[in-house]
Amino acid sequence: MCGIVAYIGPKQAYPIIIKGLKRLEYRGYDSAGIALIHNDEMNVYKTKGKVADLEESIGKKSIESSLGMGHTRWATHGEPNNANAHPHQSQSGNLAVIHNGIIENYATIKEELVKRGHTFDSDTDTEVLIHLIEDIQVNEGISIDEAVRLALNQVVGAYAIVILVKNEPAKLIAARKGSPLVVGIGTEPGEFFMASDATPIVEYTRDVTYLHDGEIAIVKNGKLSIKTIENVTKTPFIQKLEINLEEIEKGGYPHFMIKEIYEQPKSIYDSIRGRIHPETGKFAMRSMQEYEDKLRNIKRLILIGCGTSWHAALVGEYLFEEYARIPVEVEYASEFRYRNPIIYPDDLVIAISQSGETADTLAAIEMAKEKGATVFGVCNVVGSSIPRMTHAGAYTHAGPEIGVASTKAFTAQVSVLTLMALAVAQIRGTISQERLMLTLSEMENIPHLVEKALQTNDEVIKIAEKFKDSPNFLYLGRGVNFPVALEGALKLKEISYIHAEGYPAAEMKHGPIALIDEAMPVVVIAPKRGMYEKVMSNIQEVKARKGIIIAIVTEGDTKIREMADPVIEIPDTEEALTPLLSTIPLQLLSYHIAVMRGCNVDQPRNLAKSVTVE
Ligand code: G6P
């Protein structure tokens, strides 16, 4: 939610910042802006719209600079217009800031500042912060660094900020609390990068340090120092970036989303690689081994997440109940955190998140830890907040996911949850060695089966052509494929703006059946294993009302083929693993429909990939 990037060093800052902003556009694209310092002047350019609009609006204006910062916004306070675009400047114009997060007490601070003669150009909380910093600096007669520290002690909320100082052109200040910020240490002397994630940095350096909450990074005269907002000096922990440039480029595909859909054989393989040994039934998962005693005795599992990650949690519920026989609750992180839930010390909470930065999930983890639960994370972004704040967990290794609608992260999450459920089942003795070894070898074969499922693409294109103008869709599934129905509907809504609902197939008769007529496409997930006969009855119920059935069936199925309109075949696998295959044609369907409707599939309206505000 909002992307920030900054550069100081011997190179030209502008191209680095613009390229970086384009990589960060998945975090928001309501407006974009840039500030550049050159010859004691600060040029600030900003505009409503995307980074491409910003470039166009800058045109031939001065972009000469080796120190600058840029921002791409997902609006929280103030509508997306030019005035509310970042960077924002202080009263005198000496300071400029870019910000990702929310300053919750900005209204009270603003009131005070207005009384002291400050005037504001925007409705944002961010402008209030930079005015406050200057106010403290001028009134106390202290350095900007110290004023930033004191101001951050006064604000309540979340932030990743970068500040430029016009009359100190060798300085860059950044700070974080709740929103991510990474500092890249360039290959040339005095060269530094700052960004919301590593994607703008990766082509220039592999050495980075991730700021922790409450830390301020200052680059001054070519040197980086870090201190806390309590004024304690910290030694930067430099680590090597694991992502590659190819992973964050489209590589010949027209959109990131389709590239990521096609990457799933590899992303699933990478998520299970080295972690299972089907021939012996053994696991190599550190968290499982380290917490073996705990896992043997847990009484309840609580799975939390938001959006697509919440759907993965619902699949996880089925997997843990099926294999490990543990009672499971699945919670939206945003509801869980505010409900004063009852948590026991022998509960295990697993937080699922692609980005590792979702504000509601972070807050829910914090609360569960305070109440004494053991918390694991299942995350994709290495070095993000969730892996750092949980007791243990497992990365999904899906590689960077840039398309705003999650695809490969979902199947990677489901893969890792499957391994976790099987490992816990082994520890608790709820699965026979024979079944375990069979399931593990089936799991090892999943990347190959996903490749086959991707071959449905041509068939899916034909279906997309036929139904792209339908105003509504219904998705039905049962058991472990009910969450897949929810995920299929979410994908379609997110990127094509068609209203779609996911429903447990048997629940349809308690309401949605009223919607069914000859114009309503109903996507039914009906694999051979998994309440096949029951789903068939649900299909009959739709057909009896003249609804259109688009069925996802196991290859070779004949019975449903007779009843359904178009049919998409996926390979056969164990019931619990079917979501990894049935999801694929649904992702393709939403993608093709959205493209045919002329929608921006990678950057759907109003959405952002990393939701760092609640
Ligand atoms: C946003 C994204 C979704 C994602 C959700 C949770 O809404 O658009 O794709 O599923 O956030 O994000 P997380 O990073 O926690 O998985």
Side-chain angles (χ1 to χ4, degrees):
M1 211 136 258
C2 298
I4 63 184
V5 59
Y7 176 79
I8 185 167
K11 300 188 180 83
Q12 279 298 316
Y14 180 78
I16 294 172
I17 294 167
I18 289 290
K19 203 171 191 186
L21 286 180
K22 286 184 177 165
R23 297 230 171 102
L24 291 174
E25 256 187 331
Y26 73 87
R27 303 180 68 89
Y29 27 82
D30 288 331
S31 64
I34 193 164
L36 301 163
I37 291 190
H38 186 60
N39 287 343
D40 296 334
E41 282 301 316
M42 178 147 57
N43 290 316
V44 176
Y45 307 119
K46 48 192 193 172
T47 185
K48 181 181 169 183
K50 301 200 169 188
V51 180
D53 300 311
L54 175 68
E55 277 182 290
E56 205 183 306
S57 73
I58 291 174
K60 297 215 167 355
K61 290 179 196 146
S62 168
I63 50 166
E64 179 72 26
S65 173
S66 53
L67 168 60
M69 62 186 188
H71 185 269
T72 174
R73 177 170 186 244
W74 188 86
T76 57
H77 290 66
E79 64 172 280
N81 57 23
N82 291 354
N84 289 334
H86 298 214
H88 291 286
Q89 288 175 276
S90 60
Q91 187 70 40
S92 74
N94 186 40
L95 309 179
V97 67
I98 49 175
H99 170 214
N100 166 28
I102 292 183
I103 305 299
E104 288 169 15
N105 58 340
Y106 83 103
T108 347
I109 299 173
K110 189 170 183 176
E111 225 171 89
E112 273 307 305
L113 290 171
V114 168
K115 280 189 206 149
R116 295 147 80 98
H118 285 255
T119 52
F120 292 89
D121 295 329
S122 77
D123 307 321
T124 64
D125 50 337
T126 307
E127 192 184 9
V128 174
L129 175 63
I130 200 68
H131 277 241
L132 173 68
I133 292 169
E134 185 167 87
D135 193 73
I136 294 175
Q137 189 225 340
V138 172
N139 286 322
E140 313 252 330
I142 53 176
S143 69
I144 308 271
D145 314 6
E146 189 55 5
V148 169
R149 194 180 72 77
L150 295 181
L152 293 180
N153 275 288
Q154 287 188 28
V155 301
V156 178
Y159 51 80
I161 52 168
V162 181
I163 293 171
L164 288 189
V165 189
K166 187 164 74 175
N167 62 14
E168 291 188 66
K171 183 182 269 185
L172 201 52
I173 306 173
R176 84 155 262 177
K177 185 180 164 224
S179 302
L181 199 79
V182 53
V183 179
I185 295 95
T187 49
E188 302 198 46
E191 183 177 51
F192 295 92
F193 304 80
M194 289 167 180
S196 300
D197 72 26
T199 56
I201 299 178
V202 62
E203 66 192 273
Y204 308 104
T205 177
R206 305 203 76 79
D207 293 333
V208 296
T209 182
Y210 291 91
L211 283 197
H212 292 94
D213 274 352
E215 286 184 349
I216 305 171
I218 301 172
V219 175
K220 195 153 68 178
N221 301 325
K223 298 233 154 24
L224 169 72
S225 62
I226 296 181
K227 63 180 176 183
T228 67
I229 60 170
E230 291 83 26
N231 216 7
V232 179
T233 304
K234 294 274 173 172
T235 311
F237 170 67
I238 313 290
Q239 56 190 103
K240 291 275 177 213
L241 277 180
E242 286 181 14
I243 54 168
N244 296 314
L245 201 53
E246 309 84 71
E247 289 179 319
I248 54 171
E249 292 187 333
K250 285 189 199 146
Y253 286 92
H255 301 101
F256 281 110
M257 184 179 175
I258 191 71
K259 173 180 178 241
E260 288 158 6
I261 290 174
Y262 272 91
E263 277 173 352
Q264 289 175 108
K266 180 172 185 304
S267 53
I268 295 174
Y269 173 74
D270 287 345
S271 299
I272 59 178
R273 181 165 53 119
R275 287 176 162 165
I276 53 171
H277 301 285
E279 55 302 336
T280 56
K282 290 220 159 66
F283 291 87
M285 294 180 81
R286 222 178 50 210
S287 49
M288 296 292 128
Q289 278 136 14
E290 277 173 12
Y291 280 80
E292 193 171 325
D293 287 341
K294 177 97 208 169
L295 293 169
R296 188 170 294 114
N297 297 310
I298 49 168
K299 298 277 180 300
R300 182 174 63 151
L301 177 63
I302 303 169
L303 298 172
I304 57 173
C306 301
T308 290
S309 297
W310 183 76
H311 294 157
L314 287 175
V315 178
E317 174 179 33
Y318 179 96
L319 296 167
F320 275 93
E321 284 184 359
E322 172 70 16
Y323 295 132
R325 308 300 303 142
I326 303 177
V328 182
E329 282 172 31
V330 178
E331 301 269 3
Y332 285 112
S334 54
E335 288 297 314
F336 183 68
R337 63 179 286 199
Y338 284 117
R339 235 194 26 238
N340 193 16
I342 298 146
I343 296 178
Y344 301 106
D346 47 15
D347 282 340
L348 172 69
V349 174
I350 302 184
I352 304 160
S353 172
Q354 188 286 128
S355 62
E357 300 292 350
T358 302
D360 283 319
T361 312
L362 297 184
I365 292 171
E366 207 61 74
M367 188 196 63
K369 275 169 67 184
E370 269 164 28
K371 288 180 181 270
T374 303
V375 185
F376 280 15
V378 172
C379 280
N380 194 40
V381 177
V382 176
S384 58
S385 298
I386 291 179
R388 283 190 280 163
M389 65 195 286
T390 44
H391 296 109
Y395 280 115
T396 43
H397 300 306
E401 191 182 63
I402 316 275
V404 166
S406 188
T407 52
K408 64 173 180 172
F410 174 73
T411 47
Q413 287 166 343
V414 171
S415 302
V416 169
L417 288 169
T418 309
L419 302 195
M420 283 181 153
L422 289 167
V424 175
Q426 185 181 52
I427 291 167
R428 295 164 73 93
T430 53
I431 190 166
S432 70
Q433 180 72 359
E434 194 193 351
R435 184 173 182 206
L436 176 68
M437 284 161 70
L438 260 175
T439 308
L440 287 182
S441 66
E442 188 63 10
M443 196 60 212
E444 212 175 32
N445 194 31
I446 286 286
H448 168 64
L449 299 183
V450 170
E451 238 158 54
K452 286 178 84 182
L454 285 165
Q455 289 165 12
T456 58
N457 190 48
D458 290 347
E459 197 57 39
V460 173
I461 291 175
K462 286 186 210 143
I463 298 172
E465 261 157 11
K466 204 162 161 196
F467 297 105
K468 65 179 192 314
D469 298 319
S470 298
N472 299 291
F473 268 74
L474 190 60
Y475 285 72
L476 302 177
R478 293 191 78 149
V480 73
N481 279 301
F482 159 54
V484 176
L486 294 178
E487 177 59 12
L490 177 67
K491 280 300 80 96
L492 191 69
K493 278 190 271 227
E494 279 181 309
I495 61 167
S496 73
Y497 319 137
I498 292 175
H499 171 243
E501 274 194 58
Y503 241 78
E507 273 293 303
M508 180 193 57
K509 57 186 165 295
H510 299 293
I513 200 162
L515 298 171
I516 290 175
D517 60 17
E518 59 280 3
M520 175 68 117
V522 182
V523 180
V524 185
I525 305 143
K528 198 171 68 192
R529 305 196 219 189
M531 290 192 271
Y532 182 71
E533 305 289 335
K534 303 273 176 207
V535 176
M536 237 168 12
S537 310
N538 302 135
I539 290 177
Q540 297 285 17
E541 289 157 12
V542 175
K543 288 306 293 176
R545 275 109 195 142
K546 298 197 170 59
I548 305 152
I549 295 286
I550 302 168
I552 314 293
V553 300
T554 307
E555 58 194 359
D557 183 290
T558 49
K559 287 192 192 157
I560 293 183
R561 191 171 278 280
E562 277 166 26
M563 292 183 243
D565 305 292
V567 160
I568 303 168
E569 291 193 347
I570 54 168
D572 186 24
T573 188
E574 204 175 288
E575 182 183 352
L577 308 185
T578 49
L580 292 166
L581 306 180
S582 54
T583 305
I584 307 292
L586 304 191
Q587 294 171 343
L588 290 169
L589 183 65
S590 59
Y591 171 78
H592 290 301
I593 289 181
V595 171
M596 286 170 195
R597 289 166 68 94
C599 301
N600 183 341
V601 289
D602 283 338
Q603 294 173 350
R605 69 183 179 211
N606 304 338
L607 296 178
K609 185 150 192 73
S610 181
V611 183
T612 54
V613 296
E614 66 168 289

